[in-house]
Amino acid sequence: MLLGAAQIAIFFHDPRHFFIADALMWMEYRYRSFWEFLSGFFRVDPGLWYRPLSQRTVQSLLFPFFEFNPLPYRLITFLLFFACTIAVYLLGKSLTESRRVAWLSVLVFTPHLIHTFPTYDVAFTPELLFTLFYVGSALLYVRFLRTRQFAALAGSLALFIGSLLSKETAVALPFTVLAIWFLLPGIKHATGRSLIPFFGILGLYALFAFGYLHIRNLNFQDFFGSRDMSSEYAFGSGAHIWRNIRMSLNWIFGFPQGVHGHWIIDRPKMLLGMELLQAGAYAGVVCVLFTRRRRFLLLGVTWFLSTGRPAFALVNHFLPYYLFAPLMGFAVAMGSILDWAYGELDGRIPRTAIAALVGVLATWTTAHATMARKIGAEHALLGQGARVSATTIRDIRSMYPTLPSGTHVVLFNEDAPSAPREHGGVLLQLAYNDPSLTMHYVTEGFSISPEDLNAGRVVALKWIDGRIVDITAFIEQWPELLLPHARSTNYHLEVSSVEFHPRRVSYVVHIAELPGSEVMVLYAIDGKVMEPARLNLDDSGAASLDLPLSTPPSALAFVAVRQAMETTWIPLGKSIHFTTVY
């Protein structure tokens, strides 16, 4: 219960956050019937993966009843993750036959920042489910080695098949059980021939998945580096394997590295503590290798390397959450080191053994739990993307509770260029349960016909200041605003001051991107678009817009800007906002 509460506090403290793009996509491509679910065992899914047990199952069961309510999805994710935590305990106890090593392994595993990824969203269900099957298969194989119960071997093989049907990474399991057979201490009641069924299943799976289904359009030769190595899922042997292993060693100790492993450690004392833990772990590896516990250490290390091998072979797409299953081996190795260190201290300085162990685990937990919260909130694959989709759907629904079929929603997303990716191409259709709705992004380019605009089938929105503003009324009055402009062009207008005169009021506007330029400013008063005003911006990008004194500031909205020599407008969607008022 304490472990579950700790995991909730670290990884599920914000259970109502929105979904990432992959989750939205699988909600759209969910199974619509039981027969469609069964057919998924004989074909690749729309993402070109072969994961019939895990990829769409949760979304297919929950979305028809709960739609975008995140709590049921989070509950399933927590239960799977907590089951994985129990699996770590069972794995440590089974491999080492020591409950203390098993508990230490759990305490190393529980707060790890890597878990931020697989626990963040239902899209990571394949990672959790494949890991559960994977560990279960390994545990039953260990039982078979010690008892020669063929029911355990049959169960191990069945769970191996379940793991393969959950995620392709399970192809590493035969090599993991090979390492277990070779390194497991004690008397083994089975020969190496017991490994043959695992490699036989692997061969059949490879023929079906890659020879027949061609997962991700991969062929056998692609795993030897013959494919275009610039592609997203290019595999091969080479220097990138050692690069990925080095990167993973940084990640498992909590240090950032790489594009996807970027997070900030802003506390010098915490960084020092992490560095000391890393140095202590490496020293512990050397020491334990010269003790009777070396087999436990090697079992953990080989689990980490063999389970991570498929991901290490990726040339360009190595992500932190690929270490979730390998991390269990790391936890067992660290548990063995901590157990040895505790035993040494307890034999020499008994009073300090427990204090030292608690200090190490407290430092480890504090560092990882602190960074896990930041990663969940700020990582581009997690919180950043989820907030973009959450803001989009919240603001659109508040402005348009319903949308007519066939509506084109145009989003001027210059300030949110990641929106097309985060929406997964299906957010609007899911939110309104209408596949005829389409969303167009200015950063992607779009074309809207005059007929659609005149028929009222166009809704125009502008992303600005972290929210969405409706500019449809301005578009209807000034259709030229829908003309496409360069995707990299984006202007921001601020009103820096207001100067009152006997018969007029001057709004001093500032456009930082256009210093020293002549510009045309389109503005509206009480919702009516006025004729463009020509302004000459000074070297700081400032100029005065003079309006009648009777114009109330609350009625003024800045609609769009363009340079005087250009023809395309850049919508602003900016109501009057003062940074300084005199």
Side-chain angles (χ1 to χ4, degrees):
M1 291 177 65
L2 288 173
L3 283 173
Q7 291 173 339
I8 291 172
I10 298 171
F11 303 110
F12 297 90
H13 63 281
D14 181 21
R16 293 187 177 276
H17 68 70
F18 204 66
F19 304 90
I20 64 173
D22 283 359
L24 297 173
M25 183 183 74
W26 295 118
M27 287 174 181
E28 174 64 20
Y29 294 129
R30 64 190 182 276
Y31 298 121
R32 260 63 176 195
S33 67
F34 180 71
W35 296 110
E36 190 175 342
F37 167 71
L38 291 180
S39 69
F41 286 85
F42 303 98
R43 65 184 67 176
V44 293
D45 58 38
L48 300 182
W49 297 111
Y50 182 63
R51 302 169 182 177
L53 280 183
S54 63
Q55 190 74 83
R56 296 180 276 176
T57 307
V58 176
Q59 294 91 326
S60 301
L61 292 173
L62 296 185
F63 187 82
F65 302 100
F66 300 103
E67 296 185 340
F68 286 152
N69 180 2
L71 291 180
Y73 302 91
R74 303 287 179 266
L75 177 60
I76 296 296
T77 300
F78 169 73
L79 293 175
L80 290 173
F81 176 57
F82 189 71
C84 289
T85 307
I86 297 173
V88 173
Y89 174 82
L90 296 175
L91 182 66
K93 187 173 182 294
S94 177
L95 294 179
T96 67
E97 296 185 295
S98 167
R99 297 183 66 180
R100 189 165 70 190
V101 172
W103 273 113
L104 291 172
S105 302
V106 169
L107 294 176
V108 170
F109 179 84
T110 293
H112 203 285
L113 61 84
I114 290 295
H115 306 329
T116 311
F117 294 85
T119 61
Y120 191 84
D121 199 281
V122 68
F124 295 99
T125 299
E127 202 70 32
L128 299 171
L129 196 58
F130 121 79
T131 300
L132 276 177
F133 283 128
Y134 195 101
V135 178
S137 179
L139 290 173
L140 286 177
Y141 184 70
V142 171
R143 176 179 293 184
F144 170 72
L145 291 180
R146 288 180 172 146
T147 65
R148 201 171 173 77
Q149 295 177 358
F150 283 94
L153 178 61
S156 178
L157 295 172
L159 291 177
F160 176 34
I161 294 173
S163 190
L164 288 170
L165 295 175
S166 299
K167 192 177 180 185
E168 299 78 7
T169 315
V171 296
L173 183 63
F175 304 95
T176 301
V177 295
L178 172 61
I180 291 173
W181 177 83
F182 185 75
L183 292 170
L184 189 71
I187 299 175
K188 292 187 281 287
H189 297 280
T191 66
R193 287 183 297 179
S194 62
L195 299 168
I196 294 176
F198 290 95
F199 286 94
I201 291 172
L202 175 61
L204 294 174
Y205 172 82
L207 287 172
F208 180 69
F210 300 106
Y212 175 70
L213 294 179
H214 299 294
I215 296 173
R216 296 297 300 184
N217 294 321
L218 291 170
N219 295 302
F220 289 113
Q221 61 268 28
D222 296 325
F223 295 95
F224 300 96
S226 60
R227 195 185 190 195
D228 177 15
M229 301 302 280
S230 64
S231 63
E232 185 178 20
Y233 288 98
F235 291 84
S237 299
H240 66 277
I241 292 180
W242 303 112
R243 179 194 69 208
N244 290 339
I245 292 176
R246 289 194 300 270
M247 191 180 302
S248 69
L249 290 176
N250 278 318
W251 289 346
I252 60 175
F253 283 104
F255 299 106
Q257 185 178 358
V259 176
H260 297 296
H262 176 71
W263 48 83
I264 297 175
I265 305 175
D266 53 5
R267 299 182 185 179
K269 290 184 179 180
M270 188 170 70
L271 177 61
L272 176 61
M274 293 165 58
E275 291 172 341
L276 291 175
L277 288 177
Q278 185 184 41
Y282 289 148
V285 168
V286 176
C287 293
V288 173
L289 283 175
F290 294 95
T291 71
R292 289 179 298 175
R293 292 180 173 86
R294 71 174 66 87
R295 282 182 177 261
F296 304 154
L297 175 65
L298 293 175
L299 278 167
V301 171
T302 54
W303 177 287
F304 176 81
L305 293 175
S306 63
T307 306
R309 179 61 177 83
F312 295 149
L314 283 165
V315 178
N316 304 309
H317 200 70
F318 187 57
L319 300 175
Y321 71 89
Y322 294 161
L323 296 180
F324 180 73
L327 189 62
M328 293 183 172
F330 169 79
V332 171
M334 288 291 293
S336 302
I337 293 172
L338 290 173
D339 180 61
W340 167 82
Y342 175 80
E344 292 294 312
L345 282 175
D346 191 49
R348 292 176 170 81
I349 320 174
R351 294 183 179 180
T352 65
I354 293 180
L357 187 61
V358 170
V360 167
L361 291 173
T363 302
W364 176 266
T365 300
T366 301
H368 281 267
T370 300
M371 288 185 290
R373 286 200 167 209
K374 293 182 179 179
I375 292 170
E378 303 299 333
H379 198 282
L381 297 178
L382 306 177
Q384 281 189 17
R387 282 196 298 273
V388 169
S389 294
T391 299
T392 302
I393 206 62
R394 180 196 65 218
D395 289 357
I396 293 180
R397 276 178 159 176
S398 66
M399 293 182 287
Y400 294 94
T402 61
L403 283 174
S405 294
T407 297
H408 300 282
V409 177
V410 178
L411 179 60
F412 289 87
N413 65 307
E414 298 94 338
D415 282 353
S418 66
R421 180 181 70 250
E422 310 305 347
H423 294 169
V426 297
L427 178 63
L428 192 68
Q429 294 88 337
L430 283 171
Y432 289 92
N433 192 27
D434 187 349
S436 71
L437 302 178
T438 58
M439 182 170 278
H440 308 263
Y441 305 88
V442 67
T443 56
E444 300 288 301
F446 63 89
S447 177
I448 299 296
S449 67
E451 292 78 11
D452 287 329
L453 180 62
N454 295 333
R457 292 194 296 268
V458 176
V459 171
L461 308 170
K462 171 70 176 180
W463 183 289
I464 189 166
D465 295 337
R467 63 190 181 91
I468 289 179
V469 176
D470 188 6
I471 60 173
T472 305
F474 302 145
I475 297 287
E476 292 173 347
Q477 297 176 62
W478 208 273
E480 292 90 340
L481 294 174
L482 281 179
L483 293 176
H485 62 264
R487 302 177 188 181
S488 60
T489 304
N490 192 18
Y491 303 144
H492 298 84
L493 183 148
E494 296 289 340
V495 177
S496 58
S497 65
V498 180
E499 300 172 358
F500 293 94
H501 304 281
R503 296 185 178 180
R504 60 185 174 85
V505 58
S506 296
Y507 295 91
V508 180
V509 300
H510 185 267
I511 305 174
E513 296 86 356
L514 296 172
S517 301
E518 185 179 8
V519 301
M520 304 297 292
V521 176
L522 196 64
Y523 64 96
I525 298 176
D526 286 329
K528 181 180 180 181
V529 178
M530 314 304 290
E531 287 297 317
R534 184 182 297 268
L535 300 179
N536 291 301
L537 303 178
D538 61 21
D539 291 340
S540 67
S544 294
L545 174 64
D546 294 334
L547 295 176
L549 186 61
S550 59
T551 304
S554 60
L556 177 62
F558 292 97
V559 178
V561 169
R562 67 174 173 85
Q563 296 193 59
M565 301 302 294
E566 295 182 351
T567 58
T568 55
W569 292 92
I570 311 299
L572 296 169
K574 186 79 172 180
S575 297
I576 188 166
H577 171 71
F578 302 100
T579 56
T580 306
V581 178
Y582 299 96

